[in-house]
């Protein structure tokens, strides 16, 4: 079984969020489970020099893009035992940002076409499956059918499209369709791209792909409803027989409190974890008080993450005997709010207004609770990492948060976190109060909870097997 995994970001090459994290760890898990997987991504100028220097040029050729013929250098390298291909074109990828350039449609249109052109140049690797991810690669199933249907090399190739976040769809004017992508002027393709009076890359990808997955079972069903469907709910409902939700895993080597080089004290038990909290409190300039529950937020500060709820109840939280530490950057409205409350409550709250990997690990190791009140969350990795580090997640029951956090049951002692159902600030407040109440109890219930969380299995193993079943099913359709 040979899989070409196509993604716009993969750690350690490039990472802007959860997508890059998955891009870095999922292929490793596939490989461990016997899949011959190779990864292909753009060669951004931001990729670390030592990785770029390891890459060797395999081929260079011209990629058709409408009337254009654009240079592509196909580079390859092996890293952590995985085979990577990098698509090199300085005009498109030597940019300050990964996304958000004025010509993203053309940049990723080029990337998708270049991937398909590259398949001819691979040595000893003919993929059976093209596994694409999000709108940046959604044109691959389209182009495969529209441009390569008579090419013998491509005849039995199957496509799978994973949706990591339905909110980003790749919506552009029709000029892109005609001038950049050079797609047929009328007929099915035209209809499949059409979205209001513009085009939609993700919509087309969903309609062309042989199978669709998303990153948790709950999100797979949520997106068939208007609240979560981002205006694609009807299409997703129509395609529901081809749509599966598979929960992501996390990289258990990178996130391992027993070996983590970034944390203050490495640990394998909840009791040992406790040595980390005073050190972070000290570093953040907070009073060193082991008895004060430390609530952490480690997040991009964007509307998806439900921070409005938190901002709304900050006065009540600050009135409690707790400490709060926020790490992350994003939209000014959230940054300003957190800065304001941190300034007002110097002895209770600290706000670090940038993202830092090492500090994030220290936060997970030191925190008692991690808040993830997302408005929607396709999978979410924060809550899983938190649990691995014995920090108890407090989440809203949506998407992958719902599928990974089992609410604590005070009668049986089962569960690994706390959760609330509605997008409502006071439900969040009540849940925080409840968690703080359990934390303060003299009993050892909190310790049981933390041990439960640390023992929950969010390794890639299980998910990788589910993907392999899906690949197998796709290939069986051929025979
Ligand atoms: C996106 C989603 C997040 C998910 C990640 C990886 O960033 O917002 O929920 O965990 O992709 O699939």
């Amino acid at each position: 079984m040979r899989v070409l995994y196509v993604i716009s970001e993969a750690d350690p090459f490039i990472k802007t969020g959860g997508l890059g994290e998955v891009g870095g760890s999922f292929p490793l898990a596939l490989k461990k489970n016997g899949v011959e997987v190779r990864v292909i991504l753009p060669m951004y100028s931001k990729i670390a020099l030592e990785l770029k220097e390891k890459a060797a040029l395999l081929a260079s050729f011209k990629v058709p893009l409408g009337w254009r013929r654009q240079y592509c250098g196909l580079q390859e390298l092996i890293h952590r035992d995985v085979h990577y291909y990098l698509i090199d074109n300085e005009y498109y990828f030597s940019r300050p940002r990964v996304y958000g350039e004025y010509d993203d449609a053309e940049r990723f249109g080029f990337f998708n076409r270049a991937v398909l052109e590259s398949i001819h140049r691979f040595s000893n690797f003919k993929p059976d499956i093209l596994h694409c991810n999000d709108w940046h690669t959604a044109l691959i199933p389209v182009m495969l059918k529209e441009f390569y249907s008579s090419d013998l090399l491509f005849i039995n190739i199957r496509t799978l499209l994973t949706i990591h976040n339905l909110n980003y769809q790749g919506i552009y004017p029709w000029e892109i369709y005609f001038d950049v992508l050079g797609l047929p002027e009328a007929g099915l393709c035209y209809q499949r791209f059409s979205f209001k009076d513009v085009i939609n890359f993700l919509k087309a990808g969903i309609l062309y792909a042989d199978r669709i997955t998303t990153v948790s079972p709950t999100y797979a069903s949520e997106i068939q409803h208007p609240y979560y469907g981002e205006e694609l709910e009807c299409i997703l409902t129509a395609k529901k027989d081809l749509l599966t939700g598979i929960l992501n895993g996390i990289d258990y080597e990178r996130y391992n409190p027993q070996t983590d080089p970034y944390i203050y004290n490495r640990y394998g038990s909840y009791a040992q974890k406790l040595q980390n909290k005073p050190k972070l409190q000290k570093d953040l300039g907070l009073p060193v008080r082991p008895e004060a529950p430390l609530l952490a937020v480690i997040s991009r500060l964007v509307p998806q993450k439900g921070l409005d709820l938190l901002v709304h109840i900050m006065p009540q939280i600050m009135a409690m005997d707790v400490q709060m530490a926020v790490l992350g950057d994003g939209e000014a409205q959230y940054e300003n709010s957190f800065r304001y409350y941190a300034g007002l409550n110097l002895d209770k709250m600290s706000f670090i207004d940038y993202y830092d990997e090492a500090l994030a690990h220290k936060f997970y190791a030191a925190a008692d609770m991690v808040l993830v009140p997302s408005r929607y969350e396709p999978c979410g990795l924060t809550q899983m990492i938190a649990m691995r580090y014995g920090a108890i997640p407090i989440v809203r029951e949506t998407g992958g948060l719902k599928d990974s956090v089992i609410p604590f049951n005070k009668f049986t002692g089962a569960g690994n976190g706390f959760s609330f159902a509605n997008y409502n600030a006071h439900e969040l407040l009540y849940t925080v109060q409840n968690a703080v109440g359990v934390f303060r109890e003299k009993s050892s219930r909190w310790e049981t909870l933390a041990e439960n969380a640390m023992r929950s299995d969010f390794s890639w193993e299980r998910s990788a097997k589910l993907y392999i079943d899906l690949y197998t099913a796709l290939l069986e359709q051929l025979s």
Side-chain angles (χ1 to χ4, degrees):
M1 187 183 290
R2 285 169 302 253
V3 177
L4 183 64
Y5 192 67
V6 194
I7 193 156
S8 60
E9 43 182 291
D11 184 72
F13 294 87
I14 190 97
K15 179 174 94 172
T16 71
L19 184 67
E21 189 100 18
V22 171
S25 54
F26 173 62
L28 272 171
L30 283 181
K31 184 135 198 275
K32 274 192 203 136
N33 285 280
V35 177
E36 209 183 306
V37 56
R38 298 192 180 184
V39 183
I40 189 161
L41 71 153
M43 186 151 168
Y44 305 102
S45 51
K46 287 180 88 174
I47 294 176
L49 199 61
E50 72 241 38
L51 284 169
K52 278 196 267 190
E53 279 174 356
K54 261 173 78 180
L57 186 70
L58 175 64
S60 60
F61 47 90
K62 289 277 175 0
V63 172
L65 201 63
W67 50 266
R68 303 161 191 75
R69 297 287 172 275
Q70 303 290 45
Y71 168 85
C72 172
L74 177 62
Q75 305 265 349
E76 65 178 341
L77 78 154
I78 312 277
H79 179 74
R80 262 179 106 181
D81 223 21
V82 174
H83 200 121
Y84 290 89
Y85 294 108
L86 300 171
I87 297 289
D88 180 28
N89 175 305
E90 297 238 345
Y91 169 63
Y92 289 128
F93 301 123
S94 185
R95 303 284 181 94
R97 284 173 299 194
V98 175
Y99 315 114
E101 296 288 323
Y102 76 96
D103 57 348
D104 278 0
E106 183 176 330
R107 295 169 68 226
F108 289 103
F110 164 79
F111 172 59
N112 286 215
R113 192 72 199 262
V115 168
L116 289 162
E117 288 291 312
S118 298
I119 295 176
H120 277 290
R121 275 92 182 174
F122 292 160
S123 42
N124 307 321
F125 184 71
K126 180 196 168 297
D128 303 306
I129 289 169
L130 305 180
H131 186 161
C132 309
N133 295 277
D134 277 354
W135 75 267
H136 333 101
T137 59
L139 297 181
I140 288 184
V142 179
M143 291 173 164
L144 183 68
K145 291 228 172 58
E146 295 297 333
F147 297 136
Y148 298 90
S149 57
S150 56
D151 187 327
L152 284 181
L153 184 72
F154 292 89
I155 240 153
N156 285 330
I157 295 186
R158 290 289 173 263
T159 54
L160 174 71
L161 174 63
T162 297
I163 302 168
H164 295 260
N165 195 333
L166 197 61
N167 184 35
Y168 304 98
Q169 300 180 358
I171 292 173
Y172 296 105
W174 276 103
E175 289 87 84
I176 298 291
Y177 180 90
F178 294 114
D179 183 72
V180 175
L181 305 176
L183 286 162
E185 289 196 8
L188 201 59
C189 184
Y190 184 93
Q191 288 163 23
R192 286 177 167 176
F193 269 90
S194 174
F195 182 73
K196 301 175 186 169
D197 49 4
V198 287
I199 63 165
N200 185 321
F201 281 28
L202 188 67
K203 177 186 173 223
I206 291 170
L207 293 173
Y208 272 90
D210 295 313
R211 292 296 289 256
I212 307 133
T213 68
T214 182
V215 288
S216 69
T218 294
Y219 194 58
S221 65
E222 283 174 343
I223 56 178
Q224 296 176 40
H225 299 278
Y227 184 82
Y228 297 99
E230 308 284 352
E231 301 190 73
L232 293 182
E233 62 275 7
C234 296
I235 288 153
L236 290 158
T237 307
K239 287 266 162 188
K240 67 168 185 280
D241 294 341
L242 299 179
L243 170 67
T244 323
I246 301 178
L247 198 67
N248 288 331
I250 53 168
D251 184 338
Y252 263 36
E253 279 172 42
R254 173 201 282 264
Y255 298 109
N256 182 354
Q258 290 184 299
T259 54
D260 192 329
Y262 295 129
I263 65 180
Y264 304 100
N265 283 80
R266 301 196 236 300
Y267 58 95
S269 69
Y270 176 69
Q272 292 168 323
K273 167 187 166 73
L274 298 177
Q275 297 170 349
N276 284 277
K277 183 159 122 185
K279 300 202 169 131
L280 184 67
Q281 286 174 321
K282 189 157 169 275
D283 279 359
L284 294 180
L286 293 168
V288 176
R289 293 184 56 219
E291 72 284 7
L294 178 60
L295 280 57
V297 173
I298 304 149
S299 180
R300 280 179 297 129
L301 307 181
V302 293
Q304 175 192 345
K305 299 297 173 184
L307 300 163
D308 305 283
L309 301 188
L310 184 58
V311 169
H312 197 77
I313 55 165
M314 277 308 283
Q316 284 96 322
I317 294 204
M318 288 292 104
M320 295 162 70
D321 184 20
V322 299
Q323 293 183 354
M324 183 148 179
V326 179
L327 175 66
D329 55 5
E331 291 187 13
Q333 49 166 327
Y334 304 114
E335 292 191 4
N336 290 340
S337 300
F338 288 131
R339 211 168 277 131
Y340 169 76
Y341 285 109
L344 217 58
N345 302 277
L346 293 174
D347 58 339
K348 283 194 169 166
M349 171 154 177
S350 164
F351 173 41
I352 310 282
D353 60 0
Y354 54 87
Y355 182 77
D356 178 272
E357 185 87 26
L359 205 49
H361 286 237
K362 290 187 174 70
F363 268 53
Y364 287 115
D368 296 303
M369 301 162 206
V370 174
L371 306 184
V372 197
S374 303
R375 185 185 290 273
Y376 72 93
E377 197 61 77
C379 176
L381 304 174
T382 312
Q383 80 282 11
M384 300 188 195
I385 303 170
M387 286 188 260
R388 178 101 164 120
Y389 284 77
I392 300 305
I394 298 180
V395 306
R396 190 169 95 79
E397 289 154 18
T398 180
L401 298 172
K402 185 169 182 186
D403 293 335
S404 56
V405 176
I406 306 164
F408 178 60
N409 181 323
K410 63 179 179 184
F411 302 108
T412 64
N416 54 19
F418 294 89
S419 65
F420 61 100
N422 296 300
Y423 195 72
N424 175 308
H426 287 89
E427 281 194 34
L428 169 62
L429 178 61
Y430 170 75
T431 312
V432 171
Q433 286 166 339
N434 184 20
V436 168
V438 178
F439 181 85
R440 288 241 157 78
E441 281 177 8
K442 291 274 176 296
S443 69
S444 59
R445 287 210 297 183
W446 190 266
E447 182 164 356
T448 312
L449 182 57
E451 293 284 352
N452 287 350
M454 289 174 80
R455 272 196 309 273
S456 307
D457 181 9
F458 300 111
S459 64
W460 269 110
E461 205 53 30
R462 200 170 21 143
S463 315
K465 295 220 164 81
L466 295 173
Y467 276 103
I468 293 171
D469 290 346
L470 240 165
Y471 297 153
T472 312
L474 260 179
L475 296 178
E476 272 166 5
Q477 288 172 1
L478 291 172
S479 48

